Short mmCIF file of all heavy atoms in Angstrom, two decimals:
data_model
loop_
_atom_site.label_atom_id
_atom_site.label_comp_id
_atom_site.label_asym_id
_atom_site.label_seq_id
_atom_site.Cartn_x
_atom_site.Cartn_y
_atom_site.Cartn_z
N GLU T 77 -29.23 -17.12 54.41
CA GLU T 77 -27.89 -17.52 54.84
C GLU T 77 -27.78 -19.02 54.98
O GLU T 77 -26.71 -19.59 54.80
CB GLU T 77 -27.55 -16.87 56.18
CG GLU T 77 -27.25 -15.39 56.11
CD GLU T 77 -28.52 -14.55 56.28
OE1 GLU T 77 -29.63 -15.14 56.21
OE2 GLU T 77 -28.40 -13.33 56.46
N LEU T 78 -28.88 -19.68 55.36
CA LEU T 78 -28.83 -21.13 55.50
C LEU T 78 -28.81 -21.74 54.11
O LEU T 78 -29.69 -21.49 53.30
CB LEU T 78 -30.06 -21.63 56.27
CG LEU T 78 -30.21 -21.14 57.70
CD1 LEU T 78 -31.36 -21.89 58.36
CD2 LEU T 78 -28.95 -21.39 58.48
N LYS T 79 -27.81 -22.55 53.85
CA LYS T 79 -27.65 -23.09 52.50
C LYS T 79 -27.64 -24.60 52.55
O LYS T 79 -27.38 -25.21 53.58
CB LYS T 79 -26.35 -22.58 51.90
CG LYS T 79 -26.43 -21.13 51.52
CD LYS T 79 -25.21 -20.73 50.75
CE LYS T 79 -25.49 -19.48 49.95
NZ LYS T 79 -24.55 -19.25 48.93
N GLY T 80 -27.85 -25.18 51.38
CA GLY T 80 -27.77 -26.63 51.25
C GLY T 80 -28.84 -27.35 52.04
O GLY T 80 -28.57 -28.34 52.70
N ILE T 81 -30.09 -26.85 51.97
CA ILE T 81 -31.17 -27.51 52.70
C ILE T 81 -31.84 -28.53 51.80
O ILE T 81 -32.20 -28.23 50.66
CB ILE T 81 -32.21 -26.48 53.17
CG1 ILE T 81 -31.53 -25.39 53.98
CG2 ILE T 81 -33.29 -27.16 53.99
CD1 ILE T 81 -32.45 -24.27 54.36
N ILE T 82 -32.01 -29.74 52.28
CA ILE T 82 -32.74 -30.76 51.53
C ILE T 82 -34.04 -31.03 52.27
O ILE T 82 -34.02 -31.52 53.40
CB ILE T 82 -31.93 -32.05 51.42
CG1 ILE T 82 -30.58 -31.77 50.78
CG2 ILE T 82 -32.69 -33.09 50.62
CD1 ILE T 82 -29.61 -32.90 50.91
N PHE T 83 -35.15 -30.68 51.65
CA PHE T 83 -36.44 -31.01 52.23
C PHE T 83 -36.83 -32.39 51.73
O PHE T 83 -36.88 -32.63 50.52
CB PHE T 83 -37.51 -29.99 51.82
CG PHE T 83 -37.33 -28.65 52.45
CD1 PHE T 83 -36.83 -27.59 51.73
CD2 PHE T 83 -37.66 -28.46 53.78
CE1 PHE T 83 -36.66 -26.35 52.31
CE2 PHE T 83 -37.50 -27.22 54.36
CZ PHE T 83 -37.00 -26.16 53.63
N MET T 84 -37.10 -33.29 52.64
CA MET T 84 -37.55 -34.62 52.24
C MET T 84 -39.04 -34.55 51.94
O MET T 84 -39.78 -33.82 52.58
CB MET T 84 -37.28 -35.62 53.35
CG MET T 84 -35.82 -35.92 53.53
SD MET T 84 -35.16 -36.75 52.07
CE MET T 84 -33.40 -36.61 52.38
N GLN T 85 -39.46 -35.37 50.97
CA GLN T 85 -40.86 -35.39 50.59
C GLN T 85 -41.74 -35.72 51.80
O GLN T 85 -42.82 -35.17 51.96
CB GLN T 85 -41.02 -36.44 49.50
CG GLN T 85 -42.38 -36.50 48.90
CD GLN T 85 -42.51 -37.79 48.10
OE1 GLN T 85 -41.62 -38.63 48.13
NE2 GLN T 85 -43.60 -37.92 47.38
N THR T 86 -41.26 -36.63 52.65
CA THR T 86 -42.03 -36.99 53.84
C THR T 86 -42.32 -35.76 54.68
O THR T 86 -43.45 -35.57 55.15
CB THR T 86 -41.21 -37.99 54.68
OG1 THR T 86 -40.69 -38.99 53.81
CG2 THR T 86 -42.05 -38.62 55.74
N ALA T 87 -41.31 -34.90 54.85
CA ALA T 87 -41.50 -33.71 55.67
C ALA T 87 -42.47 -32.75 54.99
O ALA T 87 -43.34 -32.15 55.64
CB ALA T 87 -40.16 -33.02 55.88
N CYS T 88 -42.36 -32.62 53.66
CA CYS T 88 -43.26 -31.72 52.94
C CYS T 88 -44.70 -32.18 53.08
O CYS T 88 -45.62 -31.39 53.23
CB CYS T 88 -42.90 -31.66 51.46
SG CYS T 88 -41.31 -30.92 51.21
N GLN T 89 -44.89 -33.50 53.02
CA GLN T 89 -46.26 -34.01 53.13
C GLN T 89 -46.80 -33.78 54.53
O GLN T 89 -47.99 -33.53 54.70
CB GLN T 89 -46.30 -35.48 52.75
CG GLN T 89 -46.28 -35.62 51.24
CD GLN T 89 -46.28 -37.05 50.80
OE1 GLN T 89 -46.14 -37.97 51.60
NE2 GLN T 89 -46.42 -37.25 49.51
N ALA T 90 -45.92 -33.88 55.51
CA ALA T 90 -46.36 -33.61 56.88
C ALA T 90 -46.85 -32.17 56.98
O ALA T 90 -47.86 -31.89 57.63
CB ALA T 90 -45.23 -33.86 57.85
N VAL T 91 -46.16 -31.25 56.31
CA VAL T 91 -46.59 -29.85 56.31
C VAL T 91 -47.92 -29.72 55.59
O VAL T 91 -48.86 -29.08 56.05
CB VAL T 91 -45.54 -28.94 55.64
CG1 VAL T 91 -46.08 -27.55 55.45
CG2 VAL T 91 -44.28 -28.91 56.48
N GLN T 92 -48.01 -30.38 54.43
CA GLN T 92 -49.21 -30.25 53.62
C GLN T 92 -50.44 -30.76 54.36
O GLN T 92 -51.51 -30.15 54.32
CB GLN T 92 -49.03 -31.04 52.32
CG GLN T 92 -50.17 -30.86 51.36
CD GLN T 92 -50.06 -31.79 50.18
OE1 GLN T 92 -49.16 -32.62 50.12
NE2 GLN T 92 -50.97 -31.67 49.25
N HIS T 93 -50.29 -31.87 55.05
CA HIS T 93 -51.47 -32.46 55.67
C HIS T 93 -51.81 -31.85 57.01
O HIS T 93 -52.97 -31.79 57.38
CB HIS T 93 -51.28 -33.97 55.81
CG HIS T 93 -51.20 -34.66 54.49
ND1 HIS T 93 -52.08 -34.38 53.48
CD2 HIS T 93 -50.33 -35.56 54.00
CE1 HIS T 93 -51.76 -35.11 52.42
NE2 HIS T 93 -50.70 -35.83 52.71
N GLN T 94 -50.79 -31.39 57.75
CA GLN T 94 -51.09 -30.95 59.10
C GLN T 94 -51.05 -29.44 59.27
O GLN T 94 -51.57 -28.92 60.23
CB GLN T 94 -50.11 -31.60 60.07
CG GLN T 94 -50.42 -33.07 60.24
CD GLN T 94 -49.24 -33.84 60.81
OE1 GLN T 94 -48.43 -33.29 61.52
NE2 GLN T 94 -49.17 -35.10 60.48
N ARG T 95 -50.41 -28.70 58.35
CA ARG T 95 -50.28 -27.27 58.55
C ARG T 95 -51.11 -26.44 57.57
O ARG T 95 -51.10 -25.24 57.61
CB ARG T 95 -48.82 -26.84 58.43
CG ARG T 95 -48.02 -27.14 59.65
CD ARG T 95 -48.57 -26.37 60.84
NE ARG T 95 -48.60 -27.19 62.02
CZ ARG T 95 -47.72 -27.14 63.01
NH1 ARG T 95 -46.75 -26.29 62.96
NH2 ARG T 95 -47.82 -27.92 64.04
N GLY T 96 -51.78 -27.11 56.66
CA GLY T 96 -52.66 -26.35 55.79
C GLY T 96 -51.95 -25.77 54.59
O GLY T 96 -50.74 -25.80 54.47
N ARG T 97 -52.78 -25.21 53.73
CA ARG T 97 -52.31 -24.83 52.40
C ARG T 97 -51.34 -23.66 52.43
O ARG T 97 -50.42 -23.58 51.66
CB ARG T 97 -53.54 -24.44 51.56
CG ARG T 97 -53.23 -24.27 50.10
CD ARG T 97 -54.51 -24.17 49.33
NE ARG T 97 -55.24 -25.43 49.35
CZ ARG T 97 -56.55 -25.52 49.13
NH1 ARG T 97 -57.24 -24.46 48.91
NH2 ARG T 97 -57.14 -26.69 49.15
N ARG T 98 -51.55 -22.77 53.40
CA ARG T 98 -50.77 -21.54 53.40
C ARG T 98 -49.29 -21.81 53.61
O ARG T 98 -48.44 -21.38 52.85
CB ARG T 98 -51.30 -20.64 54.51
CG ARG T 98 -51.12 -19.20 54.24
CD ARG T 98 -51.76 -18.44 55.36
NE ARG T 98 -50.79 -17.48 55.85
CZ ARG T 98 -50.44 -16.40 55.19
NH1 ARG T 98 -50.96 -16.15 54.01
NH2 ARG T 98 -49.58 -15.57 55.69
N GLN T 99 -49.04 -22.60 54.66
CA GLN T 99 -47.63 -22.87 54.94
C GLN T 99 -47.04 -23.76 53.85
O GLN T 99 -45.87 -23.63 53.49
CB GLN T 99 -47.49 -23.53 56.30
CG GLN T 99 -46.04 -23.48 56.74
CD GLN T 99 -45.86 -23.98 58.16
OE1 GLN T 99 -46.82 -24.24 58.87
NE2 GLN T 99 -44.62 -24.10 58.57
N TYR T 100 -47.86 -24.66 53.33
CA TYR T 100 -47.36 -25.55 52.28
C TYR T 100 -46.99 -24.74 51.04
O TYR T 100 -45.96 -24.98 50.41
CB TYR T 100 -48.42 -26.60 51.95
CG TYR T 100 -47.99 -27.57 50.88
CD1 TYR T 100 -46.86 -28.36 51.08
CD2 TYR T 100 -48.67 -27.68 49.69
CE1 TYR T 100 -46.44 -29.24 50.11
CE2 TYR T 100 -48.26 -28.57 48.71
CZ TYR T 100 -47.15 -29.34 48.93
OH TYR T 100 -46.72 -30.20 47.96
N ASN T 101 -47.82 -23.76 50.70
CA ASN T 101 -47.50 -22.92 49.54
C ASN T 101 -46.23 -22.13 49.77
O ASN T 101 -45.44 -21.93 48.84
CB ASN T 101 -48.65 -21.95 49.25
CG ASN T 101 -49.74 -22.65 48.48
OD1 ASN T 101 -49.51 -23.71 47.91
ND2 ASN T 101 -50.92 -22.09 48.49
N LYS T 102 -46.02 -21.71 51.00
CA LYS T 102 -44.80 -20.99 51.33
C LYS T 102 -43.60 -21.89 51.05
O LYS T 102 -42.61 -21.46 50.47
CB LYS T 102 -44.85 -20.64 52.82
CG LYS T 102 -44.53 -19.20 53.11
CD LYS T 102 -44.99 -18.89 54.51
CE LYS T 102 -43.94 -18.21 55.31
NZ LYS T 102 -44.33 -17.98 56.68
N LEU T 103 -43.74 -23.14 51.47
CA LEU T 103 -42.66 -24.10 51.25
C LEU T 103 -42.44 -24.35 49.76
O LEU T 103 -41.31 -24.39 49.28
CB LEU T 103 -43.03 -25.41 51.97
CG LEU T 103 -42.04 -26.56 51.89
CD1 LEU T 103 -40.72 -26.15 52.49
CD2 LEU T 103 -42.58 -27.76 52.62
#
Side-chain angles (χ1 to χ4, degrees):
Chain T
E77 286 89 348
L78 297 188
K79 288 188 159 197
I81 305 174
I82 303 167
F83 290 104
M84 289 295 167
Q85 186 194 7
T86 314
C88 294
Q89 281 178 352
V91 171
Q92 185 188 4
H93 294 314
Q94 287 161 28
R95 282 297 138 102
R97 191 169 292 158
R98 209 176 129 73
Q99 194 173 353
Y100 180 60
N101 279 342
K102 229 164 131 184
L103 181 60

